[in-house]
Amino acid sequence: MMATTFAVLVAALVLRLLNLTRPAMACLFLSFIMVVGIFLWEIYSPDYGFRMPWLQVELRHARPAGSS
Protein backbone atom coordinates (compact mmCIF):
# COMPACT_ATOMS: atom_id res chain seq x y z
CA MET A 1 0.00 0.00 0.00
CA MET A 2 2.86 2.37 0.75
CA ALA A 3 4.40 1.57 -2.63
CA THR A 4 1.13 2.56 -4.29
CA THR A 5 1.06 5.80 -2.34
CA PHE A 6 4.64 6.51 -3.37
CA ALA A 7 3.78 5.78 -7.03
CA VAL A 8 0.87 8.23 -6.89
CA LEU A 9 3.16 10.88 -5.38
CA VAL A 10 5.73 10.30 -8.13
CA ALA A 11 2.95 10.59 -10.71
CA ALA A 12 1.94 13.91 -9.15
CA LEU A 13 5.53 15.14 -9.39
CA VAL A 14 5.88 14.06 -13.01
CA LEU A 15 2.54 15.60 -13.96
CA ARG A 16 3.55 18.86 -12.29
CA LEU A 17 6.86 18.88 -14.16
CA LEU A 18 4.86 18.45 -17.39
CA ASN A 19 2.75 21.49 -16.41
CA LEU A 20 -0.40 19.41 -15.98
CA THR A 21 -1.44 21.11 -12.78
CA ARG A 22 -4.98 19.77 -12.32
CA PRO A 23 -4.09 16.07 -12.74
CA ALA A 24 -1.07 16.63 -10.49
CA MET A 25 -3.28 18.12 -7.78
CA ALA A 26 -5.73 15.24 -8.20
CA CYS A 27 -2.90 12.74 -7.67
CA LEU A 28 -1.68 14.71 -4.67
CA PHE A 29 -5.17 14.72 -3.16
CA LEU A 30 -5.52 10.99 -3.88
CA SER A 31 -2.21 10.27 -2.16
CA PHE A 32 -3.35 12.29 0.86
CA ILE A 33 -6.55 10.24 1.08
CA MET A 34 -4.53 7.03 0.79
CA VAL A 35 -2.15 8.09 3.56
CA VAL A 36 -5.04 8.95 5.87
CA GLY A 37 -6.58 5.55 5.11
CA ILE A 38 -3.33 3.75 5.90
CA PHE A 39 -2.92 5.73 9.11
CA LEU A 40 -6.45 4.95 10.30
CA TRP A 41 -6.05 1.28 9.40
CA GLU A 42 -2.81 1.10 11.37
CA ILE A 43 -4.33 2.80 14.39
CA TYR A 44 -7.64 0.96 14.56
CA SER A 45 -6.67 -2.50 13.30
CA PRO A 46 -7.06 -5.02 16.13
CA ASP A 47 -4.42 -7.32 14.61
CA TYR A 48 -1.84 -4.89 13.25
CA GLY A 49 -2.69 -1.69 15.12
CA PHE A 50 -0.36 0.26 17.34
CA ARG A 51 -0.54 -0.33 21.06
CA MET A 52 -1.65 2.86 22.73
CA PRO A 53 -2.30 2.20 26.42
CA TRP A 54 -3.73 5.65 27.00
CA LEU A 55 -6.55 4.83 24.56
CA GLN A 56 -7.29 1.31 25.79
CA VAL A 57 -10.00 1.27 28.41
CA GLU A 58 -10.33 -1.67 30.77
CA LEU A 59 -12.52 -2.17 33.78
CA ARG A 60 -10.34 -2.97 36.78
CA HIS A 61 -11.87 -4.03 40.04
CA ALA A 62 -10.64 -2.06 43.02
CA ARG A 63 -9.57 -3.96 46.10
CA PRO A 64 -11.75 -3.45 49.14
CA ALA A 65 -10.34 -1.07 51.73
CA GLY A 66 -8.13 -2.76 54.30
CA SER A 67 -7.19 -5.81 52.23
CA SER A 68 -3.63 -6.43 51.14
Side-chain angles (χ1 to χ4, degrees):
M1 189 68 170
M2 290 301 294
T4 306
T5 305
F6 182 72
V8 172
L9 280 173
V10 169
L13 176 66
V14 169
L15 288 170
R16 179 60 186 112
L17 290 175
L18 295 174
N19 288 328
L20 299 171
T21 308
R22 285 187 186 237
M25 291 301 292
C27 284
L28 194 63
F29 182 71
L30 178 63
S31 68
F32 178 73
I33 295 299
M34 291 170 67
V35 166
V36 167
I38 291 170
F39 174 74
L40 290 176
W41 180 76
E42 287 285 342
I43 292 297
Y44 291 113
S45 173
D47 298 327
Y48 302 106
F50 296 131
R51 298 274 183 223
M52 293 187 290
W54 58 90
L55 292 180
Q56 295 174 359
V57 179
E58 295 178 4
L59 179 61
R60 294 188 181 195
H61 297 287
R63 292 184 180 175
S67 66
S68 55

